Amino acid sequence: MAEFKKADGIVDWLDQRLAVKSFMKVMMTQYWIPKKINFLWAMGVILLTMFAILFITGLLLVMYYKPDVALAFDSVNKTIMQEVEYGWLWRHMHGVAASVVFLVMYIHMFTGIYYGSYKRGREMIWISGMLLFVLFSAEAFSGYMLPWGQMSYWAAMVITNLFGGIPFIGPELVEWIRGDYAVGDATLNRFFMLHVCLLPIVVIAVIAFHFYSLRFPHVNNEISEELDFDLEAEKYLAGQKKESKVIAFWPDFLCKDIFYICLFMIFYFYLVCFHYDFAMDPINFDPANALKTPPHIYPEWYFLWSYEILRGFSYEIGLACFGIAQVIFFVLPFLDRSDVVAPAHKRGAFMVWFWVLLLDMIILTIYGKLPPVGINNNIATIASVLFLLLLIVILPVITIMERKAKK
């Protein structure tokens, strides 16, 4: 058994039992961050803050929510919004955070693509980040069902029907997901369990893995310079802080992150207080009605680009393209065939590719909310084909050319 001495404080008492000082060194005081980074590198900690808000407000809401098709709508729109003290505030904070978290996630993702932060040993950081994106998408979809309004019901009907297109097991899989032949009480209970229990546990585990994977190749920087972190850390610890190209995560880097979090919170609470309705569809304030189909069914804004790819083709082809669009970003590090790790503005054709991809996804998002009629269908098909070509064909070709030109 280890020898225990009389502790000289609470930190020393914990250190003797949990090695908290060593843990703090590994995770904070001797975790090194490059100096040459900008505000875009704060998106990760802002995402973590948003997840904390979602978790806390979700706990407050779940105390009054009733996962029953006869009670769910009233428990949200009457009990929580009108009878629970500050219930409206918790709901608005939860709804706005659920939407804003995707805005930050897309900025985080495109920052990684622009600076090539998915390469040179950082593949697992990228893949775990994309896994978090998928888990947050599942969390958002399962949460969208819970108010049990018209859009909740019909979105569940459309999305669960998609699984029916899977060969051989499709119909049985749809019935298993719904828990019944049609979307109903069993479906609502299943998605409630996913939203408040299973998915948050998995998200927390993957966030921990995401941070763990950052510990080895370290964070990229805005000029993609390859640093000898051990050498730079020695300079920092020797007091040559000005000459060193790194700083400690705590307190130097985190203080800067806290400043960006405070700025973001001003934007977030502005939305919560004055524009909370941007994250709420007016149709969803009508109770779910299986006999009344809304004239135009569409998902939340963060799913519109992939929804438009689904609509851009016939059902079978659209379903296959939709499936590809959901997983294509996972393999981005392997589609980029170049060894060059540099910001996009130093990579010629890659920079053009980056901005065309971003513009194409914005077009898909805009047209995803419009009714699929007339010229909207043509634009959807062209933008969807371009999206797939950009990632499956054009990216490998231009990066192979870049690699050959470097030799």
Side-chain angles (χ1 to χ4, degrees):
M1 187 174 175
E3 183 184 351
F4 289 89
K5 298 178 290 186
K6 185 178 180 182
D8 57 9
I10 184 67
V11 175
D12 187 46
W13 189 88
L14 287 171
D15 186 52
Q16 290 188 45
R17 288 152 181 83
L18 299 173
V20 290
K21 289 180 180 175
S22 301
F23 181 77
M24 293 292 283
K25 274 186 183 178
V26 171
M27 298 305 293
M28 297 188 77
T29 57
Q30 292 189 17
Y31 175 42
W32 308 107
I33 305 290
K35 281 182 179 175
K36 287 193 174 181
I37 55 176
N38 55 44
F39 73 96
L40 292 168
W41 268 260
M43 294 302 129
V45 75
I46 291 175
L47 275 173
L48 194 61
T49 307
M50 286 290 100
F51 178 71
I53 290 175
L54 283 166
F55 189 80
I56 294 167
T57 55
L59 287 177
L60 294 169
L61 292 171
V62 83
M63 288 188 231
Y64 303 98
Y65 178 75
K66 307 284 186 189
D68 184 305
V69 292
L71 303 170
F73 184 83
D74 285 346
S75 70
V76 173
N77 293 288
K78 291 184 179 173
T79 307
I80 291 173
M81 291 298 288
Q82 299 174 26
E83 296 173 2
V84 175
E85 196 164 15
Y86 295 109
W88 57 271
L89 179 60
W90 310 133
R91 189 191 178 193
H92 291 167
M93 286 180 67
H94 196 76
V96 171
S99 194
V100 165
V101 80
F102 280 91
L103 174 67
V104 181
M105 217 177 289
Y106 282 123
I107 295 172
H108 197 42
M109 186 173 90
F110 275 94
T111 300
I113 296 174
Y114 188 90
Y115 289 101
S117 301
Y118 52 87
K119 301 167 73 173
R120 195 190 282 159
R122 297 189 177 91
E123 292 84 355
M124 287 311 298
I125 300 171
W126 176 265
I127 291 170
S128 59
M130 289 311 304
L131 185 57
L132 277 173
F133 178 81
V134 171
L135 289 169
F136 269 95
S137 299
E139 183 74 349
F141 173 67
S142 56
Y144 192 61
M145 271 194 66
L146 301 188
W148 206 241
Q150 271 288 69
M151 271 302 186
S152 301
Y153 177 85
W154 288 101
M157 184 69 82
V158 171
I159 297 299
T160 52
N161 262 338
L162 292 179
F163 293 93
I166 297 175
F168 307 112
I169 61 169
E172 290 77 14
L173 185 60
V174 172
E175 189 181 324
W176 180 76
I177 292 170
R178 290 177 176 171
D180 204 339
Y181 294 109
V183 172
D185 203 56
T187 320
L188 180 62
N189 273 280
R190 287 179 178 220
F191 280 85
F192 175 71
M193 184 280 293
L194 282 174
H195 188 72
V196 305
C197 182
L198 183 58
L199 286 172
I201 291 172
V202 179
V203 166
I204 291 169
V206 177
I207 287 174
F209 178 74
H210 191 58
F211 278 101
Y212 176 73
S213 63
L214 269 169
R215 190 66 181 81
F216 298 100
H218 291 277
V219 177
N220 192 15
N221 54 77
E222 62 182 4
I223 57 172
S224 300
E225 182 183 6
E226 193 168 0
L227 299 177
D228 184 338
F229 280 84
D230 292 334
L231 181 63
E232 298 302 327
E234 282 179 18
K235 288 183 192 172
Y236 184 94
L237 292 172
Q240 298 174 296
K241 294 186 178 181
K242 197 171 179 181
E243 292 78 13
S244 176
K245 294 180 178 179
V246 298
I247 54 174
F249 180 75
W250 171 262
D252 306 335
F253 181 74
L254 201 53
C255 287
K256 193 167 68 171
D257 268 3
I258 291 170
F259 171 73
Y260 289 125
I261 290 171
C262 292
L263 286 181
F264 187 81
M265 284 297 106
I266 295 172
F267 167 69
Y268 168 70
F269 278 105
Y270 169 75
L271 291 176
V272 169
C273 296
F274 299 104
H275 294 287
Y276 55 86
D277 54 341
F278 92 98
M280 297 181 180
D281 197 311
I283 303 172
N284 220 27
F285 285 90
D286 294 331
N289 185 346
L291 302 177
K292 185 181 175 185
T293 310
H296 178 39
I297 301 171
Y298 51 84
E300 288 292 284
W301 70 268
Y302 35 84
F303 295 142
L304 286 172
W305 66 271
S306 54
Y307 180 63
E308 188 66 350
I309 291 173
L310 174 70
R311 293 194 314 180
F313 307 93
S314 62
Y315 177 72
E316 290 78 9
I317 297 174
L319 192 61
C321 294
F322 176 78
I324 293 170
Q326 301 310 304
V327 299
I328 192 72
F329 282 110
F330 275 93
V331 293
L332 186 72
F334 311 105
L335 292 172
D336 185 337
R337 308 301 299 161
S338 172
D339 299 328
V340 176
V341 180
H345 61 266
K346 292 184 178 177
R347 294 183 63 187
F350 183 85
M351 184 174 178
V352 177
W353 174 88
F354 173 85
W355 288 111
V356 172
L357 175 68
L358 182 60
L359 183 63
D360 189 56
M361 288 184 70
I362 292 172
I363 291 172
L364 285 167
T365 299
I366 293 170
Y367 278 84
K369 195 162 187 177
L370 300 178
V373 294
I375 194 171
N376 294 352
N377 282 328
N378 299 331
I379 292 174
T381 304
I382 293 168
S384 302
V385 170
L386 180 60
F387 174 84
L388 296 170
L389 283 176
L390 280 167
L391 284 158
I392 298 172
V393 180
I394 298 175
L395 178 61
V397 169
I398 62 170
T399 50
I400 287 171
M401 290 169 63
E402 185 182 57
R403 187 181 66 201
K404 289 180 178 176
K406 187 187 169 191
K407 289 180 180 175

